Amino acid sequence: MKELHAVNQYKVAFVSLGCAKNLVNTEQMMALCRDAGYEVVANPEGADVAVLNTCGFIDSAKSEAIDNILELSQLKSKGTLGKLLVTGCLSQRYKDELMEEMPEVDGVLGTGSYTDIVPAVESVMEGDQPTFFGDIDHTIEDGARMVSTPAYTAYLKIAEGCDNRCSYCIIPYLRGRYRSRTMESLLAEAKGLADRGVKELIVIAQDITRYGTDLYKKRMLGELLRELCKLPFHWVRLHYLYPDELDDDLIEVIASEPKILKYIDIPLQHINDKLLRAMNRRGTKAEILALLDKLRDRIPGLVLRTSLIAGLPGEGEAEFEELCDFLREARIERAGIFQFSPEEGTPAAVMPDQVDPDTAARRVELLVDLQSQVMDDFNESRLGETLEVLCEGFDPDMGCYAGRSYADSPDVDGKVFFTAAGLVPAGTFVNVRITGTEDGDLMGEIEEA
């Protein structure tokens, strides 16, 4: 790709919403702007251009994006922000409506045009209204990033898009087909992260288990992980592994590589066979239960995370109770519970037997209560254990240090709060003896060497 150099040194601020995969795209845009001569600033107030990278996955994400647009437009009204560019899934999904219905927006870029951010900034500052929508099936995923996570943690996005076509999900329509990045580019990027001091590498994609099936015509995640573990990371964390592709070879890699955390995020969504078929999910309840048993057997100390949807079309009381029984019996330590959102353009949005939203909301509350008990029981079982904890700094509200164990992924899981006699810099690994629990978090004290 031809390097672009900006004529003007504008101040550009970035706001990233949604998932970690979206954050990586934001970091790529930040690097492009930096390399073009712009000043990338942290605060939209005082910036020439604010770039809002949106999520448009479900209703709550769309609402958050709209709220952020309105907040940034207030800065424009006050004269403390120049222009507003909106990128990402919301603009890809509502490319026409955004410019027509929200005059606060000065330009939009779709998910196929992240690498057009520099010409978009130039265009909008010249008074134009850029609308860039490139091919979502052919995007540039390599290139520099301005990593915005803490210095000790970074994401490595190994693929873009999704071919799963779950009936409730809009992602393939917004992100395109599944596209693996080359091993060479990933290992080069990972080495750069390791050289800069990253200690926790989080491997992400919409579905990491299918890595390589398009590019190399075979599953290559295990081989990639073996190579990543040769780099000087302390932890390698995995998000997301789909159950139908989690084979024995990959399980062996996870079980045998000490750097790979014994923490697996497997989005299951439901357990009832009828609903799994309606969702276009591959696999059955029996196969899921057998897989979970195998994982627990092969990987001692394993912590599982999943996502579940309540209120899917066709979910009656019997199907919902089956899901509740599954949560009680499977004892999955981490679970995100979501209410079904009928997303326009997806098959599930027009399926018969739609569940009343109030009923779906009630079911979410019941599942959250069930899962909270499972999590509390798990935390109680850790009392007296000594855990390796990645310190994330001093928490003034708690009056002690905060960090995460292998069982805690950033932003989605709990924390480990601990006391220490001396200074513990952020990014340091320490051993913490667990002495208590509080609202889903663990409390402890550092074990001095």
Side-chain angles (χ1 to χ4, degrees):
M1 179 180 172
K2 186 173 74 174
E3 190 174 357
L4 293 170
H5 292 281
V7 175
N8 302 290
Q9 294 186 343
Y10 299 122
K11 292 182 178 180
V12 185
F14 288 83
V15 178
S16 191
L17 305 179
C19 66
K21 300 180 291 295
N22 213 37
L23 178 63
V24 170
N25 291 132
T26 301
E27 294 173 343
Q28 292 167 328
M29 290 191 289
M30 292 166 65
L32 287 167
C33 286
R34 175 202 61 197
D35 294 345
Y38 301 146
E39 181 183 356
V40 177
V41 296
N43 194 337
E45 195 159 6
D48 296 301
V49 182
V51 181
L52 177 64
N53 194 16
T54 61
C55 177
F57 182 38
I58 55 178
D59 283 342
S60 58
K62 289 182 281 186
S63 297
E64 181 186 26
I66 297 301
D67 290 343
N68 273 265
I69 291 172
L70 296 176
E71 288 175 15
L72 291 169
S73 70
Q74 290 178 3
L75 297 182
K76 287 181 59 181
S77 298
K78 292 193 302 182
T80 57
L81 171 64
K83 302 289 185 177
L84 174 58
L85 285 172
V86 178
T87 69
C89 289
L90 186 79
S91 52
Q92 181 67 37
R93 190 170 182 183
Y94 300 107
K95 57 182 75 174
D96 298 323
E97 293 90 334
L98 265 179
M99 294 296 287
E100 292 174 4
E101 299 177 14
M102 302 203 74
E104 303 90 347
V105 176
D106 298 298
V108 292
L109 287 80
T111 56
S113 290
Y114 287 117
T115 49
D116 293 322
I117 187 62
V118 170
V121 170
E122 289 290 327
S123 176
V124 78
M125 290 304 296
E126 290 170 1
D128 297 328
Q129 291 186 315
T131 55
F132 295 164
F133 289 90
D135 184 354
I136 64 173
D137 289 321
H138 298 87
T139 54
I140 300 171
E141 299 300 327
D142 300 335
R145 291 161 53 194
M146 278 186 68
V147 178
S148 58
T149 45
Y152 47 82
T153 296
Y155 295 100
L156 182 69
K157 186 164 75 167
I158 66 173
E160 178 57 283
C162 187
D163 288 343
N164 289 323
R165 299 283 173 174
C166 300
S167 65
Y168 54 85
C169 183
I170 196 69
I171 292 296
Y173 306 95
L174 304 180
R175 292 281 181 169
R177 60 177 178 78
Y178 192 85
R179 307 175 308 280
S180 301
R181 295 176 59 192
T182 66
M183 287 268 289
E184 292 78 10
S185 67
L186 291 171
L187 293 175
E189 182 175 336
K191 184 180 185 303
L193 294 170
D195 289 346
R196 281 162 37 197
V198 169
K199 298 178 180 180
E200 178 187 33
L201 185 74
I202 307 176
V203 179
I204 58 169
Q206 195 66 31
D207 176 2
I208 66 172
T209 31
R210 281 173 174 74
Y211 173 72
T213 54
D214 58 319
L215 194 60
Y216 301 109
K217 308 308 176 189
K218 62 178 180 177
R219 298 185 191 122
M220 291 285 286
L221 179 61
E223 185 173 332
L224 174 64
L225 293 177
R226 293 279 194 203
E227 294 301 314
L228 290 174
C229 287
K230 295 176 182 177
L231 296 171
F233 300 112
H234 193 79
W235 283 353
V236 176
R237 191 181 294 276
L238 309 180
H239 288 269
Y240 306 89
L241 298 101
Y242 274 57
D244 58 302
E245 297 281 348
L246 227 172
D247 60 18
D248 287 344
D249 290 341
L250 180 55
I251 294 171
E252 175 58 26
V253 173
I254 296 170
S256 62
E257 286 286 354
K259 291 183 180 182
I260 299 179
L261 295 177
K262 310 318 175 197
Y263 173 107
I264 298 180
D265 192 325
I266 310 177
L268 298 176
Q269 312 305 2
H270 215 281
I271 199 62
N272 174 263
D273 283 339
K274 180 188 75 172
L275 291 182
L276 289 171
R277 287 192 299 272
M279 295 160 69
N280 198 32
R281 302 283 292 187
R282 291 175 290 276
T284 64
K285 176 181 181 179
E287 290 168 338
I288 289 171
L289 295 177
L291 173 63
L292 298 184
D293 286 343
K294 180 191 292 186
L295 289 169
R296 298 258 194 226
D297 181 62
R298 296 272 296 276
I299 310 173
L302 178 67
V303 167
L304 291 169
R305 165 168 275 282
T306 195
S307 53
L308 300 169
I309 303 175
L312 288 153
E315 183 189 67
E317 289 300 325
E319 290 81 10
F320 174 65
E321 188 56 42
E322 187 176 356
L323 184 57
C324 291
D325 289 341
F326 169 71
L327 268 187
R328 294 187 190 99
E329 296 163 9
R331 311 299 290 177
I332 291 178
E333 292 85 357
R334 308 280 190 246
I337 314 294
F338 301 93
Q339 182 174 338
F340 170 69
S341 178
E343 296 302 314
E344 55 190 309
T346 63
V350 293
M351 284 180 178
D353 301 320
Q354 296 280 326
V355 176
D356 175 73
D358 291 337
T359 299
R362 176 182 60 81
R363 290 176 180 173
V364 168
E365 292 177 1
L366 291 171
L367 289 171
V368 167
D369 289 343
L370 271 176
Q371 182 57 30
S372 295
Q373 186 59 56
V374 172
M375 185 178 66
D376 288 345
D377 291 345
F378 173 62
N379 282 350
E380 290 286 338
S381 74
R382 306 177 90 183
L383 291 173
E385 287 187 30
T386 297
L387 300 176
E388 183 180 49
V389 171
L390 173 57
C391 179
E392 297 189 302
F394 190 82
D395 188 309
D397 294 329
M398 296 295 289
C400 62
Y401 289 96
R404 293 181 288 107
S405 75
Y406 80 96
D408 310 305
S409 200
D411 301 323
V412 293
D413 296 322
K415 298 276 190 181
V416 180
F417 294 100
F418 62 94
T419 57
L423 176 67
V424 184
T428 303
F429 286 92
V430 294
N431 291 323
V432 175
R433 186 172 65 87
I434 304 304
T435 58
T437 67
E438 184 175 323
D439 296 330
D441 297 315
L442 296 175
M443 315 298 292
E445 54 191 27
I446 195 170
E447 285 197 345
E448 304 293 346

